[in-house]
Amino acid sequence: MTSRFFVLCAACLAMTASANMSLDPQAIQEVFGRNGYAPPAPPQSPQQAVPVTPAPPKQVVAVTPAPPAPPPDDVFSPVPADYDQFDWTLTKRVAAGSDKNFLLSPLGLKLALAILTEAATGVTQNELSSVLGFDLDRNVVRSKFSTIIESLQKESPYYILNLGSRIYVGDNTHPRQRFAAIAQEFYKTELKNVNFNNPAVASKEINSWVSNITQGHIPSLVNEDDVANMVVLVLNTLYFKGSWYHQFPPNATHFGKFNVSPRLVSYVDYMNVNAKFFYTESTKYDAKILRMPYLGNKYAMYIIVPNSLLGLPRVLNDIGGLRQELDNLREYTVDVTLPRFQFDQTSQLDGILRELGIRAAFEDTASFPGIARGQDMDQRLKVSKVLQRAGIVVNELGSVAYSATEISLVNKFGEDIEATAEVVADKPFLFFIQDEATRQLLFTGRVSEPHGQDGVLKV
């Protein structure tokens, strides 16, 4: 019998604006709150008064409500990052595929692949660990990811981050208890049985879960054909919504030119704010690097704008060294001009992973015995597809981003400084969003056309 094993990752980053990126009262109220006004109750018809005995007067004590707690101050302290070399390598390779917009969730894909690594043995496991940059001691890897997930799951009134991981297993497949326990304890991943022989029901259940995690931004990740006769689906979803620490005044937004290429100009809405930011002028990359924090002092978006129209490849070609440049960030008063941007993208990543050195997982010699019991030679699994769907919306109030990563397996035989600066992002630029506590890259991307170039990227 031919069956399939599929891994999929979804990630979402979105701003608080509406889909067409215009600000409306509802969006502003969502970020800044409501006044809580309620209309007076209608007058009631008069009724006969009932005599009562007056009670002794009570002493009234005036209570002054406590003022709302201010958001924590923005603090930036660069620290060494580990487990991120794969993220930069992946970003560089995807960017090389075209000069269009792209958006990835390196963390989402890495989490999905880490779970697969737990189930692999032999060459399959060695290739996954090597490309991902994992320690050979699995206990070290488990501890690292447990710390990352714990950091991401911290709740705050200043932002929303939803992270969900599931492994859907066919009704006829019996997961190993040890694998299920490891997935739950260290990766907070639930194993759930589903009837892949009824693809309509299975796809509906999977899509409902992904839509809930991404707050409706990814309503249909898979279709019936995707899940028909599947054996295992490894699924990771990520949704982030944050408000800028320094929000852009809506009345400062203006229309202007964005230089897509030497021969192509697009007219877009530019946001503008003048505030204290951590910033550096990079000689190495001939580019400006700006850190834009979100409320809550936990997440931040970094913008890398080359000084020349054709200067972005210089950044991308040596993107692995970008982390060192962040040590040069200092606090300046920066006048920031940034376009609103929004786009969605689906990336098929099988080919890239093969090029990076993950090959055995896709071949008939793949070995994933840790997933399920009873795998005979004609029932063993291999990866058939790695797909990620992601989207982002950025406007005056904040950002929203979302992604889903899917991996399917198929039966193989089937500091303060008084200074000023200016950053004008009027040409293609690179950005990434990271968890400042763990230095993990939630999203990386390039804006070549702020109005968006939605579509499918196969690389």
Side-chain angles (χ1 to χ4, degrees):
M1 177 185 69
T2 300
S3 54
R4 301 190 303 167
F5 178 3
F6 193 69
V7 180
L8 189 144
C9 174
C12 169
L13 168 61
M15 294 292 296
T16 53
S18 59
N20 62 8
M21 305 192 72
S22 62
L23 294 175
D24 58 23
Q26 182 178 355
I28 296 175
Q29 288 177 352
E30 179 182 352
V31 174
F32 297 101
R34 301 176 182 271
N35 294 326
Y37 170 82
Q44 298 180 353
S45 58
Q47 296 181 0
Q48 182 65 38
V50 178
V52 295
T53 302
K58 295 181 179 180
Q59 184 177 3
V60 178
V61 179
V63 178
T64 303
D73 292 338
D74 177 41
V75 177
F76 174 71
S77 178
V79 297
D82 55 1
Y83 277 45
D84 68 341
Q85 193 57 51
F86 168 76
D87 308 21
W88 297 115
T89 301
L90 178 69
T91 299
K92 176 181 179 179
R93 179 59 188 82
V94 171
S98 77
D99 58 358
K100 307 298 183 183
N101 291 345
F102 77 84
L103 179 67
L104 288 171
S105 175
L107 178 59
L109 176 59
K110 188 163 55 178
L111 281 172
L113 292 175
I115 295 171
L116 269 188
T117 304
E118 288 285 356
T121 59
V123 176
T124 306
Q125 190 268 334
N126 290 337
E127 287 183 351
L128 283 163
S129 294
S130 177
V131 172
L132 293 169
F134 289 173
D135 195 285
L136 294 179
D137 185 342
R138 292 195 181 188
N139 289 324
V140 173
V141 178
R142 293 167 186 168
S143 177
K144 180 65 178 180
F145 277 98
S146 182
T147 300
I148 291 170
I149 294 170
E150 180 181 358
S151 175
L152 297 176
Q153 290 182 334
K154 289 182 179 178
E155 296 184 356
S156 170
Y158 300 113
Y159 56 81
I160 297 173
L161 190 139
N162 295 336
L163 174 67
S165 294
R166 270 187 178 179
I167 299 177
Y168 286 96
V169 181
D171 286 342
N172 297 327
T173 304
H174 306 287
R176 293 183 180 273
Q177 292 184 355
R178 174 174 170 77
F179 175 69
I182 290 173
Q184 180 62 53
E185 180 178 359
F186 299 104
Y187 302 94
K188 298 299 182 287
T189 297
E190 172 191 12
L191 267 70
K192 188 173 180 61
N193 283 105
V194 67
N195 185 8
F196 286 125
N197 292 323
N198 190 336
V201 173
S203 60
K204 183 178 179 180
E205 178 179 342
I206 293 167
N207 286 330
S208 177
W209 181 76
V210 173
S211 179
N212 182 60
I213 296 292
T214 62
Q215 297 199 357
H217 286 277
I218 302 180
S220 54
L221 182 63
V222 297
N223 57 39
E224 295 184 26
D225 290 340
D226 289 330
V227 301
N229 299 318
M230 189 179 290
V231 175
V232 180
L233 172 63
V234 182
L235 190 55
N236 172 270
T237 59
L238 181 64
Y239 173 86
F240 170 73
K241 182 177 183 179
S243 298
W244 297 123
Y245 187 90
H246 300 293
Q247 294 186 342
F248 294 84
N251 59 0
T253 298
H254 60 279
F255 207 52
K257 294 192 300 183
F258 185 90
N259 301 288
V260 178
S261 71
R263 297 184 179 182
L264 180 61
V265 172
S266 176
Y267 287 84
V268 304
D269 286 317
Y270 280 100
M271 310 176 293
N272 179 259
V273 66
N274 189 290
K276 292 275 191 177
F277 291 96
F278 283 89
Y279 159 89
T280 188
E281 178 81 26
S282 172
T283 302
K284 176 179 180 178
Y285 294 115
D286 187 26
K288 296 174 172 61
I289 302 177
L290 176 71
R291 175 184 177 272
M292 299 177 60
Y294 295 97
L295 282 176
N297 195 28
K298 181 167 174 59
Y299 300 102
M301 176 183 284
Y302 292 76
I303 305 288
I304 301 92
V305 184
N307 290 322
S308 67
L309 177 55
L310 300 178
L312 197 55
R314 176 172 175 175
V315 179
L316 290 166
N317 288 340
D318 189 20
I319 196 172
L322 186 58
R323 180 73 71 185
Q324 296 176 354
E325 291 295 287
L326 301 186
D327 292 340
N328 299 323
L329 291 174
R330 298 293 184 271
E331 193 172 36
Y332 288 77
T333 296
V334 187
D335 190 76
V336 180
T337 301
L338 181 71
R340 297 178 186 166
F341 59 92
Q342 174 180 4
F343 56 91
D344 298 279
Q345 183 176 310
T346 299
S347 302
Q348 190 168 327
L349 302 171
D350 315 1
I352 286 182
L353 293 178
R354 287 177 182 268
E355 289 179 10
L356 295 180
I358 299 177
R359 301 185 180 93
F362 297 92
E363 306 296 338
D364 290 347
T365 53
S367 178
F368 294 102
I371 291 180
R373 301 190 304 271
Q375 290 189 46
D376 297 327
M377 283 301 295
D378 62 344
Q379 296 175 325
R380 290 172 64 182
L381 306 172
K382 68 176 179 180
V383 174
S384 64
K385 184 189 298 184
V386 178
L387 187 71
Q388 184 172 97
R389 191 167 301 171
I392 185 169
V393 181
V394 173
N395 63 19
E396 287 84 347
L397 303 181
S399 299
V400 179
Y402 49 94
S403 81
T405 300
E406 168 188 342
I407 302 176
S408 61
L409 282 81
V410 59
N411 181 294
K412 66 178 59 178
F413 296 97
E415 145 191 17
D416 282 348
I417 294 179
E418 288 300 328
T420 60
E422 183 181 34
V423 175
V424 180
D426 60 353
K427 59 183 75 68
F429 60 90
L430 187 71
F431 69 90
F432 63 90
I433 297 175
Q434 76 171 6
D435 174 8
E436 300 288 68
T438 64
R439 299 303 189 218
Q440 292 298 304
L441 302 179
L442 277 65
F443 299 91
T444 60
R446 174 178 57 208
V447 177
S448 298
E449 170 52 78
H451 284 158
Q453 298 161 327
D454 300 352
V456 176
L457 176 65
K458 293 184 178 181
V459 285

